[in-house]
Amino acid sequence: MASSLHDAPSAAVNGTFAADAKSQVHKKPRLYADPSPPLFTPSDILSEFSHHDPAIARINNGSFGSCPSSVISAQNDFRLQWLRQPDDFYFNQLQPKILQSRTIIKDLINADHVDEVSIVDNATTAAAIVLQQIAWGFAEGKFNHGDAAVMLHYAYGAVKKSVEAYVTRAGGQALQRGKQNGRRVRLAVIDHVTSMPTVVIPVKELVTICREEGVDQVFVDAAHGIGCVDIDMKQIGADFYTSNLHKWYFCPPSVAFLYCKRSVNNSDLHHPVVSHEYGNGLAIESAWIGTRDYSAQLVVPKVLEFINRFEGGINGIKKRNHERVVEMGQMLVEAWGTHLGCPPEMCSSMVMVGLPACLGISSDRDALNLRTCLREKFGVEVPIYYRSPKDGEEGGVTGLGMQSINLLTMHSLVLLFPIHKLK
Amino acid sequence: MQHEDPRNGESAHRSSKKPKLSSKFITESDIRDEFSHHHPRVARINNGSFGSCPGSVLTAQRHLQLQFLRQPDAFYFNTLRDGITASRKIIKDFINADHVDEVSLVDNATTAAAIVLQRIGRSFAEGKFQKNDTVLMLHCAFQAVKKSIQAYVTRAGGSVIEVRLPFPVNSEEEIISEFKKSIEEGKSNGRKIRLAIIDHITSMPSLVIPVKELVRICRAEGIEQVFVDAAHAIGSVKVDVKEVGADFYVSNLHKWFFCPPSVAFLYCKKSSSSSDLHHPVVSHEYGNGLPVESAWIGTRDYSSQLVVPAVLEFVNRFEGGIDGIMKRNHDEVVKMGKMLAESWGTNLGSPPEMSAAMIMVGLPSRLCLNSEEDAVTLRSHLRDRYEVEVPIFHQVFKDGEEGVRDKDGFITGYLRMGKRAKCFIRNEEAVMKVRAAFHGINICVLPSSDACGITQFLKNQTKKRKEHRRRKLYASWKPRNGESCCLRGCNEVESLGTYAFLLAIDKAETSNVGIGMALLQMVRIHWSMLDQPKLLKPWLWVKHV
């Protein structure tokens, strides 16, 4: 086992980055002769993430992402520029740079117009923005009491609370089943990639169904979307789509985009924190919500540069992540005699792996304890999800999130699971 | 405190870098070091907008940011919540709140306004308030607050009353009487005033408002709730929330309290309705109380909320701590404001006791500031051409209102001078720059350690302005009565057409009055030495030897 640990990583490295062997040979001269920057070598990648704790196996990329040090440097440069002369930065630099980031995102997601793209802190904020306008709809009598907002059972905790805060409170109903008793469904909240458990939802089909059923607006919460699955706004066809760039798109914490399709229905969107820009459009409002550090929103160009130094760019990264995480998931499943949470084609860069029943996980608390134990005793960071079993199923499931930097982690996880010892 | 103490690293570093002198207080060169990341040539007189953060606090913040990136999950589970609670406890003690549950940390006063006003909006929407019940605010309230009222109050059917404060103002009584008048108006036609929003220190124009008295009046008049927007207060004036007596009190820590951008506290007096305050960005913590909700609004960088302990340590290195800083800021800014007003023959916007660390100084009417655009243009001009950063306020008069006159006309513009104790020298230079700017003289300040700086600078200037002739002059002025400023003898070094002065100042601690006088002297010499009265944009270098 020990020897396989030592051999396997280099095999994985060589296997994955076969193409990079070429660039390794030509590395220095190519830098000058070739206008496009060279592809990353494995040691480049290690140094870009040298700030990560080397003793921890980070299998939970989905929660907080990972940001390369070249992007962090760029972010620190912006912070220093601000501190050096904040008024000048505010008047002359901030807005154009945010616009630049928005333009890049617009192209990445195939939106029609940059006005449709606003940058916010995170998907949680985006949810508040979308739900707030629903609340006004009820408050101002546009909607009838009892009209509904529909969301997935596995919707993210914050989104559920946001629906409670804005919709239920204003007189709407939050439903997990469709329309009943002649109520209209004003909003459907669909996850693109659910969080816990993690599954890729066929959003395009669901949006179509919503349209057919006469749902007013569709909001896709794709917190894990960009960098994890393919996203094309025009293809998906939702009214609102949000995704965090700091999860799978290498941005520092935190930055997300909220796409709002231009239409009559949604001209009334506002950021809940109101500044003097109120009324100038959501994108402009979101670009100034009082004095704060906006540097994370300014590094998107730098991130794009970073991504394009991987073979195949973001698509190459997504593909390799997916393949590797499925491979690793299947290896664990075999070793433990459990099963995957869903078929590989419904996994993105994350996969759910059933935990052995002998671990005896029978509550959320158990799951959290196991997670803490793994972190503190074994140096493994991985989210554990508990689902109450239905008829003979196991209780505990773990979600593994694989980002392209995690070469050693899965091997460590297999090693560390002499299961009987954990009991 | 469970979180790793970021101060350990930096204080060890500092003591190895500089041996502590006999005084245990921070020295001037320490201060210069702490703010060495500021643009060296720009005179930052606008501390009020964006504040300034010392290098040691920035280091502590970076340390925390790296800690998060290193192992974010561990940081989230083990460090973040405790770190925020520690900051909240420090603030609670500072502002004399009863309980740490009354203190929430948010990004800025803008966010706090949204929190308070969203609740008012909900009360209108849910029928708790009647349509046309009123919210009262000051005419010069911050623009974001006004928009927030529009977004949450007006939209929900409430109405708004604006208290028009007199400006320039001569006494607190003037403000109090206007306030009382507006309350009467607000209650007319059977309306109820549901919320009064009072600034503790207004932004533009900047005045210290007698909040304690105004809150007392609000209670006497039956106004349900009072929200004090004290964005500029902490670090500028004493903050005692029990004394002020408001229901809500917010202040930004990144303006005058040395925190990095951005962090503010929102104090909410415990009451039966406290549980109905919510952060507009809803996370899974919804319903657990505003402080807990605000401590997690999704994945973001919370590091600026965690450095309050490091900031307190910084502040306590000054003699007298924050009180000492506040007093010195106030004294200096009043002195400088008076110097400018005297030299221009204009006025101050308020008496000294109604200013804290900022003061409004009337601009000469000759500048002909007739609109907001003019003010913006002047500000940009000062920034780009003279490297002076100072906000300019344009005063709009109602019909029949008359402003203050100087010898040439009505004063329509004021600059807002903000004083930061950290940079004694820099701010005096800043004042000189402003004054000189209006005399058509450019001042360039060279770092004191730069012995060759002047020569090099002149060489660069020569390259740039080959076609001009330039003359350098030193002027001498004998100090009186303990003034430590001393200027050197006069020598014509080069003649390149554009007149220039080199002012050599003997010692580092030079009083601003001394420099001001020296400058006046220089200007007089300059005028007298010109063959033609027309100015050819002369340069003035100030070098500290």
Side-chain angles (χ1 to χ4, degrees), chain B residues 247-409:
Chain B
D247 299 280
F248 310 106
Y249 189 104
V250 63
S251 192
N252 285 338
L253 291 120
H254 54 262
K255 283 192 188 292
W256 299 94
F257 206 67
F258 300 104
C259 283
S262 65
V263 51
F265 73 83
L266 172 56
Y267 161 83
C268 306
K269 188 153 76 169
K270 267 204 178 159
S271 78
S272 52
S273 51
S274 320
S275 58
D276 193 32
L277 270 174
H278 296 287
H279 198 290
V281 177
V282 178
S283 76
H284 64 272
E285 297 284 10
Y286 181 74
N288 291 338
L290 183 64
V292 176
E293 287 185 20
S294 308
W296 185 257
I297 50 172
T299 301
R300 342 176 315 158
D301 180 357
Y302 294 89
S303 60
S304 54
Q305 300 186 2
L306 303 173
V307 294
V308 177
V311 167
L312 200 63
E313 197 192 81
F314 173 79
V315 157
N316 288 333
R317 288 169 62 196
F318 285 80
E319 189 175 354
I322 193 67
D323 291 327
I325 293 175
M326 291 197 294
K327 181 172 186 310
R328 284 189 294 272
N329 277 353
H330 171 76
D331 291 344
E332 293 285 344
V333 86
V334 167
K335 223 172 3 181
M336 291 198 236
K338 283 183 172 162
M339 178 172 79
L340 279 178
E342 233 171 75
S343 121
W344 291 334
T346 58
N347 65 328
L348 291 180
S350 61
E353 56 276 11
M354 289 182 73
S355 75
M358 295 186 289
I359 201 160
M360 301 302 285
V361 182
L363 290 168
S365 59
R366 277 171 291 144
L367 282 172
C368 298
L369 272 172
N370 293 325
S371 66
E372 193 55 42
E373 284 75 42
D374 286 347
V376 170
T377 307
L378 175 59
R379 181 175 182 176
S380 307
H381 182 67
L382 285 171
R383 178 188 308 123
D384 299 334
R385 189 82 177 80
Y386 296 95
E387 297 182 317
V388 174
E389 188 62 59
V390 61
I392 310 285
F393 168 68
H394 168 251
Q395 182 161 23
V396 179
F397 293 106
K398 287 210 303 226
D399 295 325
E401 253 185 16
E402 266 196 357
V404 175
R405 289 185 63 107
D406 64 9
K407 57 180 171 48
D408 301 310

Side-chain angles (χ1 to χ4, degrees), chain A residues 50-54 56 58 60 63-65 67 72 75-76 79-80 82-88 90-92 121-122 124-125 128 132-133 136-137 139-140 142 156-159 161-166 169-170 244 246-247 252-255 268 270-279 288-294 368 371 375-376 381, chain B residues 36-40 42 44 46 49-51 53 58 61-62 65-66 68-74 76-78 107-108 110-111 114 118 121-122 125-126 128 143-145 147-153 155-156 252 254-255 260-263 276 278-287 296-303 376 379 383-384 389:
Chain A
S50 54
H51 52 276
H52 286 186
D53 189 335
I56 298 283
R58 285 164 76 123
N60 183 24
S63 280
F64 302 114
C67 184
I72 295 174
Q75 188 192 18
N76 281 333
R79 286 185 174 130
L80 270 175
W82 167 270
L83 294 166
R84 197 169 145 83
Q85 221 293 45
D87 300 75
D88 181 56
Y90 170 76
F91 282 107
N92 300 327
D121 270 353
N122 42 46
T124 303
T125 308
Q132 200 188 204
Q133 51 124 33
W136 278 117
E140 292 174 334
K142 272 199 289 222
Y156 192 61
V159 176
K161 289 287 185 178
S162 215
V163 170
E164 190 188 311
Y166 284 112
R169 184 165 183 166
N244 287 335
H246 54 260
K247 282 194 190 288
S254 65
V255 51
D268 190 32
H270 295 286
H271 197 292
V273 177
V274 177
S275 77
H276 65 275
E277 297 284 11
Y278 181 74
W288 185 258
I289 50 173
T291 300
R292 340 174 316 156
D293 181 357
Y294 293 88
L368 195 58
R371 180 175 182 177
R375 177 188 310 122
E376 288 171 6
E381 186 61 60
Chain B
S36 56
H37 52 274
H38 285 187
H39 194 302
V42 173
R44 286 163 76 125
N46 183 22
S49 281
F50 301 117
C53 184
L58 290 173
Q61 188 192 19
R62 244 190 306 276
Q65 285 162 345
L66 268 176
F68 178 79
L69 292 168
R70 203 171 143 82
Q71 221 296 45
D73 300 76
Y76 170 77
F77 283 107
N78 303 331
D107 271 352
N108 42 45
T110 302
T111 308
Q118 242 196 4
R122 279 197 293 270
E126 293 169 358
K128 277 198 248 167
Q143 184 64 353
V145 174
K147 289 286 186 178
S148 213
I149 292 176
Q150 191 188 330
Y152 291 117
V153 175
R155 183 171 182 174
N252 285 338
H254 54 262
K255 283 192 188 292
S262 65
V263 51
D276 193 32
H278 296 287
H279 198 290
V281 177
V282 178
S283 76
H284 64 272
E285 297 284 10
Y286 181 74
W296 185 257
I297 50 172
T299 301
R300 342 176 315 158
D301 180 357
Y302 294 89
S303 60
V376 170
R379 181 175 182 176
R383 178 188 308 123
D384 299 334
E389 188 62 59

Side-chain angles (χ1 to χ4, degrees), chain B residues 127 220 228 274 350 461 485 525:
Chain B
V228 174
S274 320
S350 61
Q461 295 303 308
C485 168
I525 296 172

Side-chain angles (χ1 to χ4, degrees), chain A residues 119-377:
Chain A
I119 294 187
V120 294
D121 270 353
N122 42 46
T124 303
T125 308
I129 292 175
V130 174
L131 291 164
Q132 200 188 204
Q133 51 124 33
I134 298 288
W136 278 117
F138 282 104
E140 292 174 334
K142 272 199 289 222
F143 303 160
N144 303 318
H145 263 246
D147 280 353
V150 172
M151 60 186 175
L152 277 188
H153 174 62
Y154 291 130
Y156 192 61
V159 176
K160 284 187 176 175
K161 289 287 185 178
S162 215
V163 170
E164 190 188 311
Y166 284 112
V167 176
T168 320
R169 184 165 183 166
Q173 298 238 3
L175 299 181
Q176 288 156 15
R177 335 194 77 183
K179 54 187 177 176
Q180 300 167 5
N181 307 338
R183 282 186 290 245
R184 280 202 67 160
V185 178
R186 296 295 179 180
L187 180 75
V189 182
I190 312 174
D191 284 39
H192 195 158
V193 180
T194 50
S195 180
M196 279 296 243
T198 180
V199 172
V200 178
I201 305 284
V203 273
K204 182 159 183 270
E205 284 79 3
L206 288 189
V207 171
T208 313
I209 293 172
C210 286
R211 299 294 184 212
E212 285 165 8
E213 296 287 329
V215 172
D216 269 5
Q217 296 183 322
V218 182
F219 170 34
V220 177
D221 172 9
H224 288 278
I226 189 168
C228 204
V229 288
D230 292 330
I231 61 182
D232 182 322
M233 296 297 101
K234 295 219 272 275
Q235 240 202 24
I236 292 172
D239 297 283
F240 309 107
Y241 189 104
T242 183
S243 189
N244 287 335
L245 288 111
H246 54 260
K247 282 194 190 288
W248 298 95
Y249 209 75
F250 300 102
C251 282
S254 65
V255 51
F257 73 84
L258 171 58
Y259 162 84
C260 306
K261 187 155 77 169
R262 275 206 292 203
S263 81
V264 174
N265 264 352
N266 59 29
S267 54
D268 190 32
L269 283 165
H270 295 286
H271 197 292
V273 177
V274 177
S275 77
H276 65 275
E277 297 284 11
Y278 181 74
N280 291 338
L282 179 64
I284 302 292
E285 288 184 18
S286 308
W288 185 258
I289 50 173
T291 300
R292 340 174 316 156
D293 181 357
Y294 293 88
S295 61
Q297 302 186 3
L298 309 177
V299 295
V300 177
K302 189 74 190 178
V303 167
L304 198 63
E305 223 179 81
F306 172 82
I307 285 176
N308 288 334
R309 291 185 61 190
F310 282 84
E311 189 178 1
I314 192 67
N315 291 327
I317 294 175
K318 281 194 281 206
K319 183 167 177 300
R320 287 188 291 272
N321 278 352
H322 170 74
E323 283 165 4
R324 224 162 336 131
V325 86
V326 167
E327 187 192 320
M328 301 304 180
Q330 277 167 342
M331 179 173 74
L332 280 178
V333 153
E334 251 169 64
W336 294 337
T338 55
H339 59 86
L340 292 180
C342 62
E345 53 276 12
M346 287 183 80
C347 301
S348 51
S349 306
M350 298 183 287
V351 74
M352 298 304 283
V353 178
L355 286 170
C358 59
L359 281 173
I361 296 173
S362 50
S363 68
D364 284 335
R365 179 139 281 271
D366 286 344
L368 195 58
N369 287 339
L370 174 60
R371 180 175 182 177
T372 308
C373 169
L374 283 171
R375 177 188 310 122
E376 288 171 6
K377 289 216 169 59

Side-chain angles (χ1 to χ4, degrees), chain B residues 409-420:
Chain B
F410 285 109
I411 293 176
T412 52
Y414 290 79
L415 64 77
R416 184 180 81 187
M417 167 166 295
K419 175 67 171 72
R420 210 335 133 244

